Amino acid sequence: MDEQQLKRHSKFLSLVLRHKPEVLGITLDENGWTDVATLLDRMHQEGRPLDLETLALVVSTNSKQRFALSDDHTRIRANQGHSVAVELGYVPVEPPAILFHGTGHQSVENILLSGLEKRSRHHVHLSADRQTAVLVGQRHGKPVVLEVLAGDMHLAGFAFFLSENGVWLTDQVPPPYLRRA
């Protein structure tokens, strides 16, 4: 399987496991998990044949580690980024003093005025390092990196969570906790 095919499968899995499980007629449980056998069967029915070995390859080689397979490989879920209601079971943890958020230059002024909001997602996504934030920002045009004063937010009572793939999550970042990097 070539890299382009793996990428296509990954993008499709992101769609159905994070946003639109109804595209395949699958259901996600309260923690975002779905049955692998059902997923593979529905993908085959939709003309997107995929076997368990290839699915495991998509999960293990995804550069952003967006997916998790259960230990017995009978269930799969997206690690974060859902727009459908799921409870991923994250426990609040103390963040580093500074986290980063990458965005496009056209959004910076609005973000500095209104803060970062989760909007249709479950959380605001933050990076532990500047380079990852740059890569995220590039998806939105000319990248700009904002520093998030996560340590100060934590002391003020804001909760932070760390996803399985190293993405920091929080409900919002008010303007006083943001600055240009």
Side-chain angles (χ1 to χ4, degrees):
M1 172 137 321
D2 70 29
E3 196 173 314
Q4 286 299 335
Q5 289 172 308
L6 289 174
K7 187 174 184 174
R8 279 194 300 277
H9 285 309
S10 179
K11 285 181 177 281
F12 186 72
L13 287 171
S14 286
L15 173 71
V16 298
L17 296 176
R18 295 168 76 187
H19 307 295
K20 295 184 176 186
E22 67 275 8
V23 166
L24 281 182
I26 61 171
T27 57
L28 306 179
D29 72 12
E30 66 275 2
N31 301 120
W33 294 101
T34 195
D35 180 72
V36 167
T38 303
L39 174 79
L40 295 176
D41 181 57
R42 299 285 167 77
M43 287 186 71
H44 182 75
Q45 290 174 15
E46 290 294 317
R48 297 175 176 270
L50 189 66
D51 59 27
L52 182 57
E53 182 181 335
T54 305
L55 178 65
L57 186 62
V58 170
V59 171
S60 67
T61 60
N62 182 272
S63 62
K64 297 180 182 178
Q65 292 299 291
R66 285 198 166 128
F67 314 108
L69 278 169
S70 61
D71 290 339
D72 62 3
H73 287 199
T74 61
R75 298 179 306 144
I76 187 171
R77 77 173 183 182
N79 284 324
Q80 92 279 325
H82 297 80
S83 59
V84 296
V86 295
E87 176 53 55
L88 297 174
Y90 293 133
V91 177
V93 294
E94 184 174 348
I98 302 291
L99 290 170
F100 302 93
H101 181 78
T103 190
H105 75 282
Q106 72 280 3
S107 301
V108 173
E109 294 309 317
N110 284 338
I111 290 172
L112 292 174
L113 287 173
S114 63
L116 291 170
E117 302 166 341
K118 60 184 175 180
R119 299 195 179 169
S120 65
R121 297 226 175 151
H122 287 258
H123 295 100
V124 172
H125 294 194
L126 304 170
S127 304
D129 63 272
R130 186 182 311 270
Q131 185 56 36
T132 301
V134 169
L135 294 173
V136 170
Q138 286 176 339
R139 296 189 326 219
H140 306 286
K142 181 180 175 190
V144 174
V145 174
L146 301 174
E147 289 185 352
V148 175
L149 305 177
D152 291 348
M153 285 181 64
H154 178 71
L155 290 174
F158 290 87
F160 286 83
F161 311 93
L162 184 59
S163 72
E164 292 176 36
N165 61 344
V167 175
W168 283 92
L169 309 168
T170 192
D171 286 336
Q172 64 173 326
V173 180
Y177 299 102
L178 288 169
R179 65 182 181 209
R180 287 181 188 258

